[in-house]
Amino acid sequence: MISVVIPLYNKEALIGRTLESVLAQSYRNFEVVVVDDGSRDGSAAVVESFDDPRIRLIRQENAGVSAARNRGIAEARGEFVALLDGDDIWRENYLQTQVELTQKYPQCDVFATGYEFIDEFGKVSPLILRNMPFSEEDGVLTNYFHVASTSHPPLWTSIVMARKSALEVVEGFPVGIVSGEDLLTWARLACRYQIAYSRRVVAQYYTPTTGPTREVPADLRSTNDAVGVALIQLAKEFPDKGVKEYVSFWYKMKGVINLNCGLRLPAFRCAAMAIKFKPSNMKAWSLLILSVAPDFILNKFLKK
């Protein structure tokens, strides 16, 4: 059996369609564990309106998305845990695609599929994957960190299914991290387990383009953030997995975010860290130069 784990927080307007996409799956042997993480809207009531014995609603005080996912994993009764966020949707053949991967690649413990992006206006954007190690529709993702450093994320919460035992070994999702907690979990899994991947696009990642914006979290402005520190430790523990390239990618990404927010010093420090772990990272070198460039040059770049 597959346990579908859905963390839920203030998604009253969207959780209904997410659950409908699960109940419409062609593969039927599953349970749904919804963990309401202290929602203050009618999210839980929407879940309770579904009359299906496979759905279990668990309530907890607000503790963050990682804690909610971890609670769902702990409560899961199936051998496999399929993760799904409360605003994303699956096509009807999603779980069947995952089951086929488990049958074709029994040596793997992590399974993932293709997906596409969709915004609140229904505009769909394709997933871009570069440097995949196979040309067929599916295969084993033997170079996860290289693909993740040069593409859209090959792993994302709503298209990952893993053996519950594997998620337990990596201790699920780290609690207390504001940004990148899921990326760290994927990295820990990729270092220890094989990943079977299907290019088949069977899920939609909801990426709204409007709404309130947040300030850049403090951990993104620092080169001593929890995700970066943990990734560096993984690079030391697993020197043959290519984690160093991903560490460089992480700090380059942080640097770009800071530069776009006008935070020059954090951008410079992040660029320097990116270069340290991959001296050939030309984007990091460009970021380093831009972080100290005159305003008229930086503004011209940002406009582009």
Side-chain angles (χ1 to χ4, degrees), residues 45-59:
V46 174
V47 176
E48 290 175 328
S49 71
F50 282 81
D51 184 18
D52 193 303
R54 292 173 295 181
I55 299 176
R56 282 189 285 146
L57 176 64
I58 297 170
R59 300 173 186 264

Side-chain angles (χ1 to χ4, degrees), residues 35-39 58-64 66-69 71-72:
V35 181
D36 179 43
D37 189 42
S39 292
I58 297 170
R59 300 173 186 264
Q60 67 178 31
E61 293 185 7
N62 181 252
S66 289
R69 289 189 185 119
R71 177 71 182 279

Side-chain angles (χ1 to χ4, degrees), residues 7-67:
L8 179 62
Y9 181 70
N10 292 349
K11 295 286 174 62
E12 178 182 3
L14 297 168
I15 184 60
R17 68 171 194 166
T18 297
L19 285 173
E20 287 171 359
S21 78
V22 177
L23 298 179
Q25 292 297 299
S26 58
Y27 181 83
R28 309 297 294 172
N29 187 20
F30 62 83
E31 65 167 353
V32 185
V33 183
V34 181
V35 181
D36 179 43
D37 189 42
S39 292
R40 291 175 289 182
D41 62 1
S43 295
V46 174
V47 176
E48 290 175 328
S49 71
F50 282 81
D51 184 18
D52 193 303
R54 292 173 295 181
I55 299 176
R56 282 189 285 146
L57 176 64
I58 297 170
R59 300 173 186 264
Q60 67 178 31
E61 293 185 7
N62 181 252
V65 65
S66 289

